mmCIF file of all heavy atoms in Angstrom:
data_model
loop_
_atom_site.group_PDB
_atom_site.id
_atom_site.type_symbol
_atom_site.label_atom_id
_atom_site.label_comp_id
_atom_site.label_asym_id
_atom_site.label_seq_id
_atom_site.Cartn_x
_atom_site.Cartn_y
_atom_site.Cartn_z
ATOM 1 N N ILE M 176 4.033 12.228 -5.298
ATOM 2 C CA ILE M 176 5.391 12.750 -5.218
ATOM 3 C C ILE M 176 5.329 14.180 -4.706
ATOM 4 O O ILE M 176 4.693 15.041 -5.322
ATOM 5 C CB ILE M 176 6.089 12.710 -6.591
ATOM 6 C CG1 ILE M 176 6.114 11.273 -7.121
ATOM 7 C CG2 ILE M 176 7.507 13.266 -6.497
ATOM 8 C CD1 ILE M 176 6.610 11.155 -8.552
ATOM 9 N N LEU M 177 5.975 14.429 -3.580
ATOM 10 C CA LEU M 177 5.960 15.745 -2.943
ATOM 11 C C LEU M 177 7.370 16.335 -2.976
ATOM 12 O O LEU M 177 8.277 15.832 -2.312
ATOM 13 C CB LEU M 177 5.494 15.615 -1.489
ATOM 14 C CG LEU M 177 4.084 15.041 -1.280
ATOM 15 C CD1 LEU M 177 3.988 14.349 0.066
ATOM 16 C CD2 LEU M 177 3.056 16.144 -1.377
ATOM 17 N N ASP M 178 7.528 17.397 -3.756
ATOM 18 C CA ASP M 178 8.839 18.020 -3.898
ATOM 19 C C ASP M 178 8.884 19.290 -3.047
ATOM 20 O O ASP M 178 8.342 20.325 -3.429
ATOM 21 C CB ASP M 178 9.111 18.346 -5.373
ATOM 22 C CG ASP M 178 10.556 18.731 -5.643
ATOM 23 O OD1 ASP M 178 11.349 18.787 -4.672
ATOM 24 O OD2 ASP M 178 10.907 18.976 -6.805
ATOM 25 N N GLU M 179 9.529 19.198 -1.882
ATOM 26 C CA GLU M 179 9.677 20.329 -0.952
ATOM 27 C C GLU M 179 8.309 20.935 -0.597
ATOM 28 O O GLU M 179 8.091 22.139 -0.730
ATOM 29 C CB GLU M 179 10.596 21.402 -1.547
ATOM 30 C CG GLU M 179 11.997 20.921 -1.887
ATOM 31 C CD GLU M 179 12.899 20.757 -0.670
ATOM 32 O OE1 GLU M 179 12.404 20.893 0.461
ATOM 33 O OE2 GLU M 179 14.100 20.481 -0.859
ATOM 34 N N ALA M 180 7.420 20.081 -0.116
ATOM 35 C CA ALA M 180 6.031 20.505 0.113
ATOM 36 C C ALA M 180 5.855 21.471 1.278
ATOM 37 O O ALA M 180 4.818 22.139 1.375
ATOM 38 C CB ALA M 180 5.146 19.276 0.342
ATOM 39 N N THR M 181 6.838 21.559 2.165
ATOM 40 C CA THR M 181 6.684 22.444 3.327
ATOM 41 C C THR M 181 7.672 23.604 3.317
ATOM 42 O O THR M 181 7.695 24.397 4.250
ATOM 43 C CB THR M 181 6.848 21.665 4.645
ATOM 44 O OG1 THR M 181 8.195 21.167 4.745
ATOM 45 C CG2 THR M 181 5.874 20.504 4.719
ATOM 46 N N GLU M 182 8.452 23.731 2.259
ATOM 47 C CA GLU M 182 9.485 24.761 2.211
ATOM 48 C C GLU M 182 8.866 26.164 2.194
ATOM 49 O O GLU M 182 7.935 26.447 1.443
ATOM 50 C CB GLU M 182 10.356 24.585 0.972
ATOM 51 C CG GLU M 182 11.545 25.527 0.930
ATOM 52 C CD GLU M 182 12.446 25.243 -0.255
ATOM 53 O OE1 GLU M 182 11.936 24.813 -1.304
ATOM 54 O OE2 GLU M 182 13.667 25.445 -0.125
ATOM 55 N N GLY M 183 9.376 27.035 3.056
ATOM 56 C CA GLY M 183 8.962 28.424 3.073
ATOM 57 C C GLY M 183 7.630 28.709 3.736
ATOM 58 O O GLY M 183 7.155 29.845 3.690
ATOM 59 N N LEU M 184 7.033 27.714 4.372
ATOM 60 C CA LEU M 184 5.735 27.909 5.002
ATOM 61 C C LEU M 184 5.897 28.235 6.483
ATOM 62 O O LEU M 184 6.883 27.862 7.121
ATOM 63 C CB LEU M 184 4.874 26.651 4.849
ATOM 64 C CG LEU M 184 4.572 26.201 3.414
ATOM 65 C CD1 LEU M 184 3.717 24.942 3.428
ATOM 66 C CD2 LEU M 184 3.888 27.302 2.618
ATOM 67 N N ALA M 185 4.898 28.905 7.036
ATOM 68 C CA ALA M 185 4.895 29.198 8.467
ATOM 69 C C ALA M 185 4.835 27.891 9.255
ATOM 70 O O ALA M 185 4.237 26.915 8.796
ATOM 71 C CB ALA M 185 3.698 30.081 8.810
ATOM 72 N N PRO M 186 5.436 27.856 10.451
ATOM 73 C CA PRO M 186 5.474 26.614 11.232
ATOM 74 C C PRO M 186 4.116 25.965 11.445
ATOM 75 O O PRO M 186 3.994 24.741 11.343
ATOM 76 C CB PRO M 186 6.092 27.072 12.563
ATOM 77 C CG PRO M 186 6.949 28.232 12.187
ATOM 78 C CD PRO M 186 6.213 28.936 11.080
ATOM 79 N N VAL M 187 3.078 26.749 11.740
ATOM 80 C CA VAL M 187 1.764 26.162 11.998
ATOM 81 C C VAL M 187 1.206 25.513 10.741
ATOM 82 O O VAL M 187 0.560 24.462 10.801
ATOM 83 C CB VAL M 187 0.783 27.224 12.550
ATOM 84 C CG1 VAL M 187 0.504 28.310 11.516
ATOM 85 C CG2 VAL M 187 -0.513 26.567 13.011
ATOM 86 N N VAL M 188 1.474 26.107 9.575
ATOM 87 C CA VAL M 188 1.004 25.521 8.313
ATOM 88 C C VAL M 188 1.811 24.276 7.972
ATOM 89 O O VAL M 188 1.272 23.279 7.471
ATOM 90 C CB VAL M 188 1.091 26.553 7.178
ATOM 91 C CG1 VAL M 188 0.605 25.950 5.862
ATOM 92 C CG2 VAL M 188 0.269 27.789 7.516
ATOM 93 N N ARG M 189 3.111 24.325 8.250
ATOM 94 C CA ARG M 189 3.943 23.136 8.033
ATOM 95 C C ARG M 189 3.389 21.946 8.802
ATOM 96 O O ARG M 189 3.336 20.824 8.278
ATOM 97 C CB ARG M 189 5.390 23.412 8.485
ATOM 98 C CG ARG M 189 6.154 24.356 7.566
ATOM 99 C CD ARG M 189 7.484 24.771 8.207
ATOM 100 N NE ARG M 189 8.338 23.624 8.466
ATOM 101 C CZ ARG M 189 9.227 23.157 7.609
ATOM 102 N NH1 ARG M 189 9.383 23.739 6.427
ATOM 103 N NH2 ARG M 189 9.979 22.127 7.915
ATOM 104 N N GLN M 190 2.970 22.180 10.030
ATOM 105 C CA GLN M 190 2.417 21.095 10.836
ATOM 106 C C GLN M 190 1.130 20.551 10.226
ATOM 107 O O GLN M 190 0.871 19.340 10.274
ATOM 108 C CB GLN M 190 2.179 21.575 12.270
ATOM 109 C CG GLN M 190 3.445 21.842 13.059
ATOM 110 C CD GLN M 190 4.391 20.643 13.059
ATOM 111 O OE1 GLN M 190 3.971 19.507 13.340
ATOM 112 N NE2 GLN M 190 5.660 20.871 12.745
ATOM 113 N N GLU M 191 0.312 21.427 9.650
ATOM 114 C CA GLU M 191 -0.907 20.967 8.980
ATOM 115 C C GLU M 191 -0.577 20.077 7.790
ATOM 116 O O GLU M 191 -1.234 19.054 7.570
ATOM 117 C CB GLU M 191 -1.741 22.166 8.511
ATOM 118 C CG GLU M 191 -2.445 22.925 9.619
ATOM 119 C CD GLU M 191 -3.356 24.002 9.048
ATOM 120 O OE1 GLU M 191 -4.284 23.648 8.296
ATOM 121 O OE2 GLU M 191 -3.136 25.190 9.353
ATOM 122 N N ILE M 192 0.433 20.462 7.027
ATOM 123 C CA ILE M 192 0.830 19.671 5.862
ATOM 124 C C ILE M 192 1.380 18.318 6.292
ATOM 125 O O ILE M 192 1.013 17.273 5.737
ATOM 126 C CB ILE M 192 1.873 20.432 5.016
ATOM 127 C CG1 ILE M 192 1.301 21.760 4.504
ATOM 128 C CG2 ILE M 192 2.349 19.559 3.863
ATOM 129 C CD1 ILE M 192 0.137 21.635 3.568
ATOM 130 N N TRP M 193 2.241 18.320 7.308
ATOM 131 C CA TRP M 193 2.796 17.052 7.795
ATOM 132 C C TRP M 193 1.702 16.152 8.349
ATOM 133 O O TRP M 193 1.734 14.930 8.149
ATOM 134 C CB TRP M 193 3.867 17.303 8.851
ATOM 135 C CG TRP M 193 5.176 17.766 8.307
ATOM 136 C CD1 TRP M 193 5.801 18.954 8.540
ATOM 137 C CD2 TRP M 193 6.044 17.041 7.419
ATOM 138 N NE1 TRP M 193 6.982 19.029 7.854
ATOM 139 C CE2 TRP M 193 7.165 17.864 7.156
ATOM 140 C CE3 TRP M 193 5.973 15.785 6.826
ATOM 141 C CZ2 TRP M 193 8.202 17.461 6.328
ATOM 142 C CZ3 TRP M 193 7.007 15.388 5.982
ATOM 143 C CH2 TRP M 193 8.110 16.214 5.751
ATOM 144 N N ALA M 194 0.728 16.730 9.033
ATOM 145 C CA ALA M 194 -0.388 15.937 9.562
ATOM 146 C C ALA M 194 -1.183 15.313 8.417
ATOM 147 O O ALA M 194 -1.619 14.148 8.510
ATOM 148 C CB ALA M 194 -1.288 16.811 10.427
ATOM 149 N N ALA M 195 -1.367 16.065 7.340
ATOM 150 C CA ALA M 195 -2.092 15.542 6.183
ATOM 151 C C ALA M 195 -1.326 14.390 5.534
ATOM 152 O O ALA M 195 -1.926 13.372 5.145
ATOM 153 C CB ALA M 195 -2.344 16.653 5.169
ATOM 154 N N ILE M 196 -0.004 14.529 5.424
ATOM 155 C CA ILE M 196 0.808 13.456 4.838
ATOM 156 C C ILE M 196 0.732 12.203 5.712
ATOM 157 O O ILE M 196 0.625 11.080 5.194
ATOM 158 C CB ILE M 196 2.261 13.920 4.666
ATOM 159 C CG1 ILE M 196 2.336 15.085 3.664
ATOM 160 C CG2 ILE M 196 3.140 12.766 4.176
ATOM 161 C CD1 ILE M 196 3.692 15.757 3.592
ATOM 162 N N ALA M 197 0.772 12.383 7.025
ATOM 163 C CA ALA M 197 0.642 11.238 7.932
ATOM 164 C C ALA M 197 -0.710 10.561 7.756
ATOM 165 O O ALA M 197 -0.814 9.327 7.798
ATOM 166 C CB ALA M 197 0.829 11.701 9.374
ATOM 167 N N THR M 198 -1.754 11.356 7.553
ATOM 168 C CA THR M 198 -3.086 10.797 7.320
ATOM 169 C C THR M 198 -3.129 9.997 6.028
ATOM 170 O O THR M 198 -3.735 8.924 5.956
ATOM 171 C CB THR M 198 -4.136 11.927 7.268
ATOM 172 O OG1 THR M 198 -4.163 12.585 8.532
ATOM 173 C CG2 THR M 198 -5.523 11.390 6.949
ATOM 174 N N LEU M 199 -2.479 10.513 4.986
ATOM 175 C CA LEU M 199 -2.443 9.798 3.713
ATOM 176 C C LEU M 199 -1.762 8.443 3.863
ATOM 177 O O LEU M 199 -2.182 7.459 3.259
ATOM 178 C CB LEU M 199 -1.711 10.640 2.661
ATOM 179 C CG LEU M 199 -2.417 11.911 2.203
ATOM 180 C CD1 LEU M 199 -1.511 12.713 1.280
ATOM 181 C CD2 LEU M 199 -3.729 11.586 1.513
ATOM 182 N N LYS M 200 -0.727 8.394 4.669
ATOM 183 C CA LYS M 200 -0.041 7.122 4.892
ATOM 184 C C LYS M 200 -0.906 6.184 5.727
ATOM 185 O O LYS M 200 -1.074 5.009 5.382
ATOM 186 C CB LYS M 200 1.296 7.351 5.600
ATOM 187 C CG LYS M 200 2.019 6.050 5.928
ATOM 188 C CD LYS M 200 3.307 6.274 6.678
ATOM 189 C CE LYS M 200 3.976 4.927 6.971
ATOM 190 N NZ LYS M 200 5.255 5.081 7.698
ATOM 191 N N ARG M 201 -1.480 6.713 6.794
ATOM 192 C CA ARG M 201 -2.205 5.879 7.744
ATOM 193 C C ARG M 201 -3.550 5.405 7.199
ATOM 194 O O ARG M 201 -3.885 4.215 7.283
ATOM 195 C CB ARG M 201 -2.417 6.662 9.034
ATOM 196 C CG ARG M 201 -3.125 5.861 10.137
ATOM 197 C CD ARG M 201 -3.384 6.721 11.354
ATOM 198 N NE ARG M 201 -4.357 7.788 11.069
ATOM 199 C CZ ARG M 201 -4.065 9.079 11.041
ATOM 200 N NH1 ARG M 201 -2.816 9.485 11.263
ATOM 201 N NH2 ARG M 201 -4.997 9.975 10.781
ATOM 202 N N ASP M 202 -4.312 6.311 6.626
ATOM 203 C CA ASP M 202 -5.687 5.994 6.250
ATOM 204 C C ASP M 202 -5.858 5.619 4.785
ATOM 205 O O ASP M 202 -6.741 4.835 4.451
ATOM 206 C CB ASP M 202 -6.609 7.193 6.560
ATOM 207 C CG ASP M 202 -6.645 7.525 8.040
ATOM 208 O OD1 ASP M 202 -6.268 6.652 8.852
ATOM 209 O OD2 ASP M 202 -7.043 8.649 8.392
ATOM 210 N N ALA M 203 -5.027 6.186 3.921
ATOM 211 C CA ALA M 203 -5.182 5.915 2.497
ATOM 212 C C ALA M 203 -4.232 4.836 1.994
ATOM 213 O O ALA M 203 -4.449 4.259 0.926
ATOM 214 C CB ALA M 203 -4.974 7.206 1.695
ATOM 215 N N GLY M 204 -3.174 4.558 2.752
ATOM 216 C CA GLY M 204 -2.206 3.551 2.321
ATOM 217 C C GLY M 204 -1.528 3.909 1.015
ATOM 218 O O GLY M 204 -1.120 3.042 0.248
ATOM 219 N N LEU M 205 -1.387 5.214 0.780
ATOM 220 C CA LEU M 205 -0.842 5.701 -0.484
ATOM 221 C C LEU M 205 0.672 5.586 -0.505
ATOM 222 O O LEU M 205 1.340 5.840 0.490
ATOM 223 C CB LEU M 205 -1.256 7.163 -0.662
ATOM 224 C CG LEU M 205 -1.070 7.827 -2.023
ATOM 225 C CD1 LEU M 205 -1.888 7.116 -3.098
ATOM 226 C CD2 LEU M 205 -1.476 9.290 -1.933
ATOM 227 N N SER M 206 1.217 5.187 -1.643
ATOM 228 C CA SER M 206 2.671 5.226 -1.819
ATOM 229 C C SER M 206 3.096 6.671 -1.996
ATOM 230 O O SER M 206 2.480 7.408 -2.767
ATOM 231 C CB SER M 206 3.086 4.404 -3.039
ATOM 232 O OG SER M 206 2.727 3.046 -2.885
ATOM 233 N N ILE M 207 4.153 7.073 -1.293
ATOM 234 C CA ILE M 207 4.575 8.476 -1.304
ATOM 235 C C ILE M 207 6.085 8.555 -1.427
ATOM 236 O O ILE M 207 6.819 7.850 -0.733
ATOM 237 C CB ILE M 207 4.124 9.205 -0.021
ATOM 238 C CG1 ILE M 207 2.592 9.153 0.134
ATOM 239 C CG2 ILE M 207 4.587 10.666 -0.029
ATOM 240 C CD1 ILE M 207 2.097 9.711 1.457
ATOM 241 N N LEU M 208 6.547 9.443 -2.321
ATOM 242 C CA LEU M 208 7.959 9.811 -2.403
ATOM 243 C C LEU M 208 8.037 11.278 -2.029
ATOM 244 O O LEU M 208 7.431 12.126 -2.685
ATOM 245 C CB LEU M 208 8.493 9.591 -3.824
ATOM 246 C CG LEU M 208 9.952 9.998 -4.069
ATOM 247 C CD1 LEU M 208 10.912 9.168 -3.216
ATOM 248 C CD2 LEU M 208 10.305 9.856 -5.556
ATOM 249 N N VAL M 209 8.756 11.594 -0.953
ATOM 250 C CA VAL M 209 8.766 12.956 -0.429
ATOM 251 C C VAL M 209 10.191 13.499 -0.374
ATOM 252 O O VAL M 209 11.102 12.841 0.150
ATOM 253 C CB VAL M 209 8.089 13.015 0.964
ATOM 254 C CG1 VAL M 209 8.711 12.023 1.938
ATOM 255 C CG2 VAL M 209 8.128 14.425 1.532
ATOM 256 N N VAL M 210 10.372 14.665 -0.956
ATOM 257 C CA VAL M 210 11.644 15.388 -0.878
ATOM 258 C C VAL M 210 11.498 16.456 0.194
ATOM 259 O O VAL M 210 10.632 17.329 0.106
ATOM 260 C CB VAL M 210 11.995 16.049 -2.226
ATOM 261 C CG1 VAL M 210 13.268 16.881 -2.080
ATOM 262 C CG2 VAL M 210 12.162 15.008 -3.316
ATOM 263 N N ASP M 211 12.321 16.376 1.225
ATOM 264 C CA ASP M 211 12.271 17.364 2.301
ATOM 265 C C ASP M 211 13.557 17.250 3.105
ATOM 266 O O ASP M 211 14.296 16.269 2.985
ATOM 267 C CB ASP M 211 11.050 17.138 3.198
ATOM 268 C CG ASP M 211 10.603 18.415 3.895
ATOM 269 O OD1 ASP M 211 11.201 18.759 4.937
ATOM 270 O OD2 ASP M 211 9.670 19.075 3.398
ATOM 271 N N LYS M 212 13.792 18.272 3.934
ATOM 272 C CA LYS M 212 15.017 18.306 4.731
ATOM 273 C C LYS M 212 14.760 18.102 6.223
ATOM 274 O O LYS M 212 15.706 17.990 7.001
ATOM 275 C CB LYS M 212 15.722 19.660 4.546
ATOM 276 C CG LYS M 212 16.046 20.019 3.113
ATOM 277 C CD LYS M 212 16.701 21.385 3.045
ATOM 278 C CE LYS M 212 17.002 21.812 1.611
ATOM 279 N NZ LYS M 212 15.757 22.103 0.854
ATOM 280 N N THR M 213 13.483 18.086 6.624
ATOM 281 C CA THR M 213 13.149 18.086 8.049
ATOM 282 C C THR M 213 13.160 16.667 8.602
ATOM 283 O O THR M 213 12.151 15.951 8.546
ATOM 284 C CB THR M 213 11.771 18.736 8.281
ATOM 285 O OG1 THR M 213 11.662 19.928 7.513
ATOM 286 C CG2 THR M 213 11.579 19.042 9.753
#
Side-chain angles (χ1 to χ4, degrees):
I176 302 172
L177 300 153
D178 192 358
E179 301 284 7
T181 65
E182 186 175 32
L184 300 180
V187 65
V188 180
R189 288 170 60 91
Q190 291 306 311
E191 287 186 60
I192 299 296
W193 284 117
I196 296 171
T198 298
L199 292 174
K200 177 182 180 179
R201 182 184 67 248
D202 298 341
L205 193 61
S206 299
I207 301 173
L208 177 63
V209 54
V210 176
D211 206 278
K212 304 178 182 69
T213 315

